[in-house]
Amino acid sequence: MLDSPLSSNVSAPELLAPAGNWDCVHAAIENGADAVYFGLDRGFNARHRAANFGVNDLSSLMGQLHLRGVRGYVTLNTLVFPDELNDLVEVVDAIASAGVDAVLVQDFGVARIVRAVCPELEIHASTQMSLTSSETIEAARSLDLSRVVVARELSIGEIKQIRSKTDMPIEAFIHGALCVAYSGQCLTSESLGGRSANRGQCAQACRLPYDLVCDGIDQELGDVRYLLSPQDLAGYAAIPDMIHAGVNSLKIEGRLKTPEYVANITGHYRRAIDQAISEGVVNLGEDAQHEMELSFSRGFTPGWLEGNDHKRLVPGIRSAKQGIVLGEVLAIGRDSILVEIQAGIALGDGLAMESAVDPNSTKAFDSGFADNHQGGRIYSLRLDDESKSDPRRPDDSQNAPKSAQSPWEQARQRKQSESQAGTDKLSKVQANQTVWIGFGRGELDFSRIEIGATVFKNDDPQLNKRLAATFGGKPRRTRPIHLHVVAHVGRPVEVTATLGSGEHATTENIVGEDDLAVANKHAITEEVLADKLGRLGGTPFHLARLTSDLSGGPMVPLGVLNQLRRELVEKLEDQFHAAPRRTVRLSAGRALVTPIKNETPVSDDQPTVPQAPPQLSVLCRTLDQVRGAIAASAERIYADFHDPREHKAAIALGAEHNASIWIASLRIQKPGEMGLLKQVVKQGPAGLLARNLAAVRLGVEAGLPTIADFSLNVANHRSAEWLIDQGVQRVTASYDLNADQLDQLVSSMPADWLELVLHQHMPMFHMEHCVFCSVLSPGTNKTNCGRPCDRHVVELRDRVGKLHVLQADIACRNTLFNATPQSGAEIVSNMVACGVGSFRVELLSENAQEAESILRLYRQLLLGEIAGQEVWRSLSAENRVGVTRGTLEAKRNPLAIL
């Protein structure tokens, strides 16, 4: 941590705040944001549930932002399907024309369309593009990116490594909720309910409880139930180090949060950044932290900024908003609890406390807080009378477990406790006092509360009122303006206003109507000019400095000065509200919407070449599965092993049986991990299944046949085309596509570009967080965990009883696979007819015999020897948990039921 002012050549990073609605915009502006990001109600943004803004709001919104010196970024950070690209072009046109400063993009094809429509519009790569290293950033440079939002999973040290190898501006998250899965790599909502996180419809399955089953035995984890729910990121103390690492923009998460949250967090981070620049350190203090926790907190953590500490990141006790820890229940009265409070409280504050789960509640297990907590608002406050018998004594029956007390004893005890309490009623109580906190009659079920339960303060109406007062009404955060006045006798007075400096300066000039006369008594002075022209209250400006050029003792009427001031402000406001002139090329954007045709024309007299039978690719996770794939004569076998040393054995096995063995790369590549990729190339596979852009580039440059995997999220033909242009042979369709959308994709591009995964256990969560380390090891990260993943088979049981397999890769990243396999058998005939020539089966835990059986079934399907429904019935009969059609459910012909 730095402890001295940063050098004078270091500029403050941009503070980027979320804005889900107009009030959030105003809250961000008034509390110090340099930029805001927001979505549009036309879709294409990853917060579908936010209020968002209409396209018709853009001109007004950008005018207000630019008037206040704030930049505005629109989130276009979802995957876009071919039939949506026309709408996308229209939206990009509106964005560019309104003067939006940048768009955040996930989809490669969307980035290409944005650039085609408007060359001047900045493109920021969303964290969902999974650019997690300098190598992946450089591989994406041809998309003409202006900035990259790096993954939340990077440490400051890793960000520093990225900065040392690229000049690309970097944006990083500094505060807010943490996704347990890599953004852009979470398929949980899609897999479980058809709600794609890559389409802005995340259902937050990470916040639900799970049981851990190790080697077939349920593990007793006590209160730890929320195994995949991280605490919230609060990185304010790391700001000096983030600046030193070269981060250009610090981002606050929260487009679904309230305006008060935006005001609260933005204001504190504004002060933190300013303090970091001036002092080299950030010390916000406990009160500031409490204020931030009250707006929203699942418990604060530095996230991954300090590296991996899996136990700190995911304690697993709760998953919803908790606020601040107030204390523990020391005694229980009829409608009150006794707590030694660690923070100030007042009447009307909202509290929550740990409680036994209500078995009759319909909310049980639905929320990380509501199921084993209950809460209400403070109805009364009374200080404890410590001179009387202390109900907290260890030998007092009040501390006995509830199960050991009869209802009569509990009632007597409550009455006695209340009689021992003080009688002075208060409206508020400061921290570090013992106080009886009363609630409204019947508001809480006190039979569910036990001595020692943790109490949280999770709402403070007075704080919310103070925060709401920081925005709305007249501008509170104003921009400094420099005025220069020229007043010569015989010439009209002239006033020039300047904002900023150098090439970024904005100037306006106003000239009076009449020539100035010589003053009879009081010639104008600089002091009077500053007083009259500096009356800028209610405007977005304040007078920073006034200079003058006065000659001949002129008399300037005060009414003239007032009029000039009003005109000057009006002209400045008009200038900022005017959208910048930009090149907008709708025809270029629409050209990219059109389908891509096969480049090789077929003449009428050319003989027809029979279509080759479809190829069967198999992804294997064990050597045993490789043997089964070889026995089934798979044309292409991908080795995706936990232990990469086994890749050599797989390649040798392939050589022995004349089988084509490819190797699958890691899904995420972080700084320092290129060696793992290069080792894959050195092993001499027949080809590479590339799961990130660094792997794509490495495979192509090494001359290896390379196929881009599903994790590169190809959902439209222009994304596919960009990857084909990078040198890959085929692309794997995104798992976000259903059967209808696959039809669109295939019809929009050459079908031989595509490989379709038709059988798999959907990889739901792909996480830097390691559950093995968190709950099966005394260690905190891969340096001291002892690698329990090498020795144990682990599954997570969800609320409906399904057991999802958890596996770790060589980089210790975890993937949770859906318990039920998904089969697209029923759409194969249609895909083959459309020209798709490569299909894949992904195995998980099958042995060699099971693998061979499944593959022979699909081989028959691809050859047209059996129908898809027959494959479906066979798989369903053989698999104890059945088979789902999942996202690949075939379209139904409505006439078939008539």
Side-chain angles (χ1 to χ4, degrees), residues 422-476:
T423 58
D424 294 333
K425 294 184 179 181
L426 305 169
S427 61
K428 60 182 178 180
V429 179
Q430 298 302 314
N432 302 317
Q433 299 188 70
T434 304
V435 60
W436 283 96
I437 303 171
F439 299 87
R441 189 173 299 277
E443 190 171 8
L444 299 180
D445 180 356
F446 282 86
S447 68
R448 294 172 53 201
I449 302 173
E450 297 184 353
I451 304 298
T454 303
V455 181
F456 300 90
K457 176 180 174 180
N458 59 11
D459 187 57
D460 186 331
Q462 292 303 311
L463 172 63
N464 292 335
K465 185 176 180 180
R466 293 197 305 273
L467 292 170
T470 65
F471 59 92
K474 295 180 180 180
R476 291 169 173 79

Side-chain angles (χ1 to χ4, degrees), residues 783-829:
T783 67
N784 56 23
C785 68
R787 295 190 64 83
C789 53
D790 290 338
R791 305 184 303 276
H792 299 291
V793 175
V794 169
E795 299 163 300
L796 300 188
R797 182 187 293 111
D798 65 18
R799 297 175 303 159
V800 298
K802 286 190 175 182
L803 287 169
H804 306 288
V805 174
L806 184 75
Q807 292 188 353
D809 64 21
I810 186 58
C812 294
R813 291 176 199 117
N814 286 192
T815 304
L816 188 69
F817 295 90
N818 195 316
T820 306
Q822 170 180 297
S823 174
E826 293 175 327
I827 69 168
V828 165
S829 60

Side-chain angles (χ1 to χ4, degrees), residues 609-615 635 730 832-833 835-839 859 862-863:
V609 178
Q611 183 175 335
Q615 293 184 342
E635 282 84 5
R730 284 190 176 92
V832 171
V836 177
S838 184
F839 295 83
R859 171 70 72 192
L862 293 178
L863 293 176

Side-chain angles (χ1 to χ4, degrees), residues 655-826:
E656 180 182 345
H657 295 278
N658 197 29
S660 179
I661 306 295
W662 295 41
I663 296 180
S665 79
L666 290 172
R667 195 157 153 189
I668 294 292
Q669 183 259 329
K670 292 178 72 175
E673 293 180 353
M674 276 304 290
L676 295 174
L677 284 175
K678 291 177 180 178
Q679 187 62 36
V680 167
V681 174
K682 288 180 180 179
Q683 290 174 338
L688 179 66
L689 182 63
R691 290 173 168 160
N692 59 70
L693 289 180
V696 167
R697 172 172 281 194
L698 181 66
V700 170
E701 290 180 349
L704 279 176
T706 302
I707 292 178
D709 204 6
F710 74 95
S711 50
L712 289 160
N713 288 324
V714 170
N716 59 67
H717 51 297
R718 294 305 169 182
S719 293
E721 181 184 47
W722 184 76
L723 285 168
I724 293 291
D725 289 346
Q726 305 311 301
V728 304
Q729 290 186 343
R730 284 190 176 92
V731 298
T732 309
S734 166
Y735 292 167
D736 290 283
L737 299 170
N738 62 27
D740 292 343
Q741 290 146 0
L742 272 173
D743 279 348
Q744 294 176 30
L745 183 63
V746 172
S747 63
S748 67
M749 69 183 200
D752 59 3
W753 285 5
L754 188 66
E755 177 158 290
L756 173 63
V757 178
L758 58 89
H759 181 101
Q760 60 159 318
H761 291 261
M762 184 82 84
M764 300 190 298
F765 295 107
H766 186 65
M767 308 173 286
E768 188 72 19
H769 175 58
C770 182
V771 178
F772 294 92
C773 177
S774 181
V775 298
L776 294 179
S777 165
T780 58
N781 57 50
K782 62 184 178 183
T783 67
N784 56 23
C785 68
R787 295 190 64 83
C789 53
D790 290 338
R791 305 184 303 276
H792 299 291
V793 175
V794 169
E795 299 163 300
L796 300 188
R797 182 187 293 111
D798 65 18
R799 297 175 303 159
V800 298
K802 286 190 175 182
L803 287 169
H804 306 288
V805 174
L806 184 75
Q807 292 188 353
D809 64 21
I810 186 58
C812 294
R813 291 176 199 117
N814 286 192
T815 304
L816 188 69
F817 295 90
N818 195 316
T820 306
Q822 170 180 297
S823 174
E826 293 175 327

Side-chain angles (χ1 to χ4, degrees), residues 180 226-231 310-316 769 774:
V180 75
Y226 302 95
L227 302 177
L228 303 177
S229 180
Q231 296 190 95
H310 300 291
K311 288 179 168 59
R312 177 174 63 179
L313 182 75
V314 183
H769 175 58
S774 181

Side-chain angles (χ1 to χ4, degrees), residues 110-436:
V110 172
R112 297 180 66 201
I113 286 174
V114 170
R115 181 51 64 242
V117 172
C118 183
E120 297 95 346
L121 181 57
E122 287 185 21
I123 300 173
H124 296 177
S126 165
T127 187
Q128 290 172 281
M129 199 179 279
S130 300
L131 303 183
T132 53
S133 66
S134 60
E135 291 85 5
T136 55
I137 290 172
E138 292 308 307
R141 189 176 286 274
S142 65
L143 293 171
D144 200 16
L145 305 176
S146 300
R147 180 189 293 183
V148 167
V149 186
V150 295
R152 296 170 175 89
E153 288 82 357
L154 293 171
S155 69
I156 294 174
E158 289 167 334
I159 293 173
K160 196 170 184 178
Q161 290 182 58
I162 293 173
R163 166 53 66 232
S164 70
K165 295 180 181 179
T166 180
D167 59 357
M168 181 70 70
I170 291 174
E171 178 180 308
F173 282 91
I174 195 65
H175 191 96
L178 290 171
C179 299
V180 75
Y182 274 92
S183 291
Q185 302 299 320
C186 184
L187 294 159
T188 315
S189 297
E190 177 70 64
S191 175
L192 297 178
R195 294 175 51 181
S196 169
N198 285 325
R199 298 275 292 169
Q201 298 174 331
C202 172
Q204 292 195 311
C206 53
R207 305 300 180 188
L208 298 174
Y210 294 87
D211 298 322
L212 187 133
V213 180
C214 181
D215 300 327
I217 300 172
D218 281 48
Q219 301 299 296
E220 176 53 53
L221 301 178
D223 293 335
V224 176
R225 302 165 59 215
Y226 302 95
L227 302 177
L228 303 177
S229 180
Q231 296 190 95
D232 291 347
L233 170 64
Y236 51 86
I239 288 175
D241 293 322
M242 297 282 275
I243 296 172
H244 186 67
V247 176
N248 304 95
S249 178
L250 297 175
K251 184 173 191 173
I252 298 169
E253 180 276 338
R255 280 194 288 140
L256 294 173
K257 302 294 197 306
T258 65
E260 290 77 13
Y261 169 91
V262 175
N264 189 350
I265 306 304
T266 303
H268 282 302
Y269 276 86
R270 174 76 276 153
R271 290 183 284 276
I273 291 172
D274 294 345
Q275 186 183 28
I277 293 295
S278 62
E279 302 175 21
V281 69
V282 173
N283 290 311
L284 288 186
E286 187 178 55
D287 288 346
Q289 178 176 322
H290 282 174
E291 285 191 2
M292 289 191 287
E293 288 179 303
L294 281 168
S295 277
F296 194 94
S297 167
R298 295 181 178 91
F300 280 170
T301 170
W304 285 278
L305 293 177
E306 297 177 0
N308 284 344
D309 184 335
H310 300 291
K311 288 179 168 59
R312 177 174 63 179
L313 182 75
V314 183
I317 304 300
R318 57 188 63 87
S319 71
K321 175 183 176 181
Q322 68 179 42
I324 62 176
V325 176
L326 191 64
E328 294 183 351
V329 175
L330 303 176
I332 302 171
R334 184 174 59 186
D335 289 310
S336 61
I337 56 174
L338 183 66
V339 182
E340 185 176 349
I341 58 174
Q342 301 174 23
I345 55 177
L347 297 180
D349 286 351
L351 303 187
M353 62 208 72
E354 293 178 329
S355 303
V357 175
D358 180 0
N360 299 317
S361 173
T362 58
K363 295 183 178 180
F365 302 107
D366 283 348
S367 162
F369 214 82
D371 58 350
N372 58 354
H373 290 71
Q374 57 178 327
R377 296 201 174 273
I378 297 176
Y379 185 80
S380 65
L381 291 169
R382 291 175 292 178
L383 293 178
D384 185 34
D385 185 353
E386 295 185 349
S387 65
K388 298 184 180 180
S389 176
D390 189 351
R392 294 166 287 161
R393 291 179 302 171
D395 61 342
D396 196 304
S397 63
Q398 193 156 339
N399 282 322
K402 285 260 177 10
S403 59
Q405 300 175 358
S406 69
W408 179 86
E409 288 172 327
Q410 291 181 35
R412 180 189 60 78
Q413 196 174 88
R414 289 174 182 170
K415 184 175 181 180
Q416 179 183 7
S417 297
E418 291 190 322
S419 70
Q420 293 168 340
T423 58
D424 294 333
K425 294 184 179 181
L426 305 169
S427 61
K428 60 182 178 180
V429 179
Q430 298 302 314
N432 302 317
Q433 299 188 70
T434 304
V435 60
W436 283 96

